[in-house]
Amino acid sequence: MMMKTMMRRNTWLAILMVVLMCSCKKSARSEVKINDDKKPVAAASFRVMGYLREYNVVDGRAIQFDFSKITHLNIAFINPDAAGNFTTLNGLTELVAAAHAKNVKVLASIGGGLAPEYYTDLMSTGDKRNKLANSLAAVADQYNLDGIDIDLEGHFVDGNYEAFVIAVKAALKPKGKLLTTAIATVYATQYTDKALAQFDFINIMSYDKTGPWKPERPGQHSPYSMAVDDLDYWGGTRGIAKEKLSLGLPFYGYGFGSGVPEDMSFADILKQYPGSADKDEVTVAAGGTMYYNGVPTIKSKTTLALQKAGGIMVWQLLQDDAGSNSLLNTIDALVKAAKK
């Protein structure tokens, strides 16, 4: 009896050990599977924002855009008149509906590199700032926009800028609308920390280091090194969380010297100079050179942004090539691979 009892006990112990071992293996396999399937937080929420021009809303080109490869769309530029009043933009309601159907958020961008000079006056006093801020909130409501993007540069970032963005934030926040900005590092010292804290995210214009306005300084206007320096400055020196930063990429180039246009879209560069997709510059027989970002550089910058930022920003979407060398397709492929 004792021998049989011991044998039974040993048998049950053996079975129990097998069950425990199988359970541990199953648990380990489950844990590995969960970890493998888990998407990195940064990649899962990574933004791909692009700008389209307001006149392309009116002419219908904007609504024909494939929204599936972006997360946010800025319409540039929707500016008021000198009194701070906005006029109707035909086609914007339909564009917003089409974008929303693809889960893309749409914002109205104000200002621009050639912003109307009267912005200085519109931001000059509390009453004027509040009027403009409330008008912007009303525009967001009128077109069912998801927010407002402020692209004011140079002398517009003055002593009234901080108070203005605070007023816009106060007008938008109760409505659940976004407030974003496009900034250039060349004006870095003009942006106060308090002003920057108002924005949900910040698009770094990491381009236009030089251009036709500086013919004496020919060269690459958007080198990879500039992207590195810009992200290091805003994320490091200024301490802005990387999730709030979007790295700006150009879909255009600038020409210097004889035989090249002053500026060209990436699509036109490929048409004019066959075989240029994988380069960053093309020198023509007359001696001039066209500088831009080709596919390899866009890949490198997108990889950098996935590591050190929360998104990509593109100026501007309709300058892209529609064929196999599409820069947006290049970005999309890398972002989707990072999410797997």
Side-chain angles (χ1 to χ4, degrees):
M1 289 288 292
M2 284 184 63
M3 184 65 70
K4 288 183 179 180
T5 301
M6 289 178 65
M7 287 177 66
R8 289 195 191 100
R9 286 177 179 172
N10 288 341
T11 300
W12 282 109
L13 283 171
I15 293 171
L16 181 60
M17 289 179 67
V18 170
V19 170
L20 288 172
M21 289 175 66
C22 290
S23 176
C24 288
K25 287 179 181 179
K26 182 179 180 182
S27 178
R29 283 197 299 270
S30 299
E31 186 176 352
V32 170
K33 187 176 187 300
I34 291 171
N35 288 340
D36 286 345
D37 289 349
K38 187 176 181 181
K39 299 175 182 178
V41 174
S45 59
F46 195 79
R47 296 178 302 277
V48 178
M49 164 172 278
Y51 284 83
L52 288 175
R53 300 306 303 264
E54 85 288 351
Y55 51 75
N56 291 136
V57 174
V58 177
D59 68 21
R61 288 189 67 196
I63 204 168
Q64 297 170 16
F65 183 78
D66 178 8
F67 299 109
S68 66
K69 296 179 177 64
I70 62 173
T71 60
H72 296 73
L73 174 66
N74 282 355
I75 306 303
F77 293 96
I78 300 177
N79 289 316
D81 61 21
N85 300 313
F86 291 85
T87 57
T88 300
L89 183 60
N90 294 328
L92 185 55
T93 299
E94 293 77 11
L95 175 66
V96 172
H100 283 173
K102 296 290 186 179
N103 297 316
V104 172
K105 296 183 183 299
V106 186
L107 297 86
S109 185
I110 67 168
L114 297 174
E117 192 60 38
Y118 50 72
Y119 265 111
T120 301
D121 177 63
L122 294 177
M123 297 189 297
S124 62
T125 67
D127 287 344
K128 290 182 178 180
R129 286 193 294 268
N130 289 333
K131 177 185 176 182
L132 181 54
N134 290 329
S135 294
L136 287 168
V139 168
D141 282 342
Q142 177 184 352
Y143 295 104
N144 195 26
L145 296 165
D146 298 283
I148 299 295
D149 177 66
I150 297 177
D151 179 7
L152 291 173
E153 309 166 27
H155 69 280
F156 293 110
V157 188
D158 58 14
N160 297 313
Y161 177 85
E162 178 185 291
F164 171 61
V165 298
I166 289 174
V168 179
K169 181 72 171 183
L172 293 177
K173 189 172 181 179
K175 301 173 180 293
K177 306 288 187 181
L178 295 170
L179 178 61
T180 71
T181 187
I183 59 175
T185 307
V186 68
Y187 306 121
T189 58
Q190 296 170 228
Y191 299 99
T192 66
D193 290 341
K194 188 172 182 180
L196 294 174
Q198 307 307 310
F199 299 111
D200 292 288
F201 52 86
I202 295 168
N203 301 313
I204 306 169
M205 295 183 284
S206 197
Y207 40 71
D208 288 4
K209 187 175 184 178
T210 188
W213 59 92
K214 292 182 179 179
E216 75 283 359
R217 291 185 58 187
Q220 176 58 254
H221 77 97
S222 184
Y224 179 82
S225 60
M226 183 181 186
V228 172
D229 292 343
D230 284 346
L231 287 174
D232 284 348
Y233 174 78
W234 294 106
T237 305
R238 295 300 289 266
I240 298 172
K242 72 176 186 177
E243 291 79 12
K244 290 185 68 171
L245 298 175
S246 304
L247 177 63
L249 304 181
F251 279 15
Y252 62 92
Y254 288 137
F256 294 87
S258 301
V260 292
E262 285 191 344
D263 62 87
M264 294 181 76
S265 69
F266 182 68
D268 287 342
I269 289 170
L270 297 195
K271 291 175 185 175
Q272 185 72 26
Y273 312 114
S276 57
D278 291 332
K279 303 175 182 177
D280 284 342
E281 61 183 76
V282 175
T283 300
V284 301
T289 302
M290 177 62 63
Y291 298 92
Y292 56 97
N293 279 186
V295 172
T297 296
I298 293 296
K299 284 183 178 180
S300 296
K301 287 185 177 182
T302 302
T303 300
L304 176 68
L306 283 163
Q307 296 168 348
K308 293 191 172 185
I312 287 289
M313 176 269 282
V314 172
W315 181 273
Q316 55 102 338
L317 294 167
L318 291 182
Q319 293 176 316
D320 194 16
D321 183 64
S324 59
N325 292 311
S326 163
L327 298 179
L328 186 60
N329 285 350
T330 298
I331 294 167
D332 183 60
L334 287 170
V335 172
K336 285 180 177 175
K339 292 181 179 181
K340 292 180 179 179

